[in-house]
Amino acid sequence: DKITSIGTSCFYETSNLEEVSFSKVTAIPQNCFYNCTKLKKITLSGPVTSFGATAFRYCRLLDTVILSGVTAVPTIASTTFQSATLITNGTGVIYVPDNLVASFQADSTWRQYNIQSINNLPAS
């Protein structure tokens, strides 16, 4: 995985994308996965520092986000998971390193989501 950055609206309305994994990406830009209707899981093992507005809007099946490489709570647009994701409705989970769970849960924007320790990630 040599990709270190992805552009705004990069996967916009990609209808067959079900799972994404990046190891070096540090930012998820605005509209990046907008309306990717089959996207269920995204794994970001790099040091992600920001999430743009409507990055996952209308990703109706998105229920798992794994942020294993974060070293601090990333900035997040209040509309990142907006509208019709399983993350927004509370049935999806965002997994983060154990030492950051409390920080995510205390953050005014992240605390609205179901944040859990990566140690709770079900075996696949």
Side-chain angles (χ1 to χ4, degrees):
D1 183 356
K2 296 179 181 185
I3 298 170
T4 58
S5 67
I6 47 182
T8 299
S9 304
C10 184
F11 296 99
Y12 189 93
E13 295 187 341
T14 302
S15 61
N16 60 351
L17 189 64
E18 293 182 22
E19 188 171 325
V20 175
S21 181
F22 292 108
S23 64
K24 296 179 179 160
V25 169
T26 58
I28 302 298
Q30 179 176 344
N31 295 329
C32 187
F33 296 97
Y34 187 101
N35 203 29
C36 290
T37 55
K38 291 185 180 177
L39 183 63
K40 296 177 183 179
K41 178 180 179 181
I42 184 162
T43 302
L44 301 169
S45 53
V48 178
T49 59
S50 66
F51 288 86
T54 64
F56 299 103
R57 188 173 195 175
Y58 300 125
C59 294
R60 289 171 173 81
L61 300 179
L62 183 63
D63 69 352
T64 304
V65 175
I66 302 168
L67 304 177
S68 60
V70 294
T71 56
V73 177
T75 59
I76 182 173
S78 62
T79 59
T80 295
F81 295 101
Q82 180 187 35
S83 295
T85 68
L86 298 175
I87 298 292
T88 302
N89 78 17
T91 60
V93 180
I94 298 172
Y95 294 96
V96 301
D98 191 55
N99 64 319
L100 292 176
V101 171
S103 297
F104 271 83
Q105 291 173 340
D107 183 271
S108 62
T109 307
W110 285 99
R111 69 176 166 221
Q112 65 185 311
Y113 305 118
N114 182 3
I115 304 292
Q116 293 188 23
S117 169
I118 205 157
N119 298 333
N120 296 338
L121 188 63
S124 48

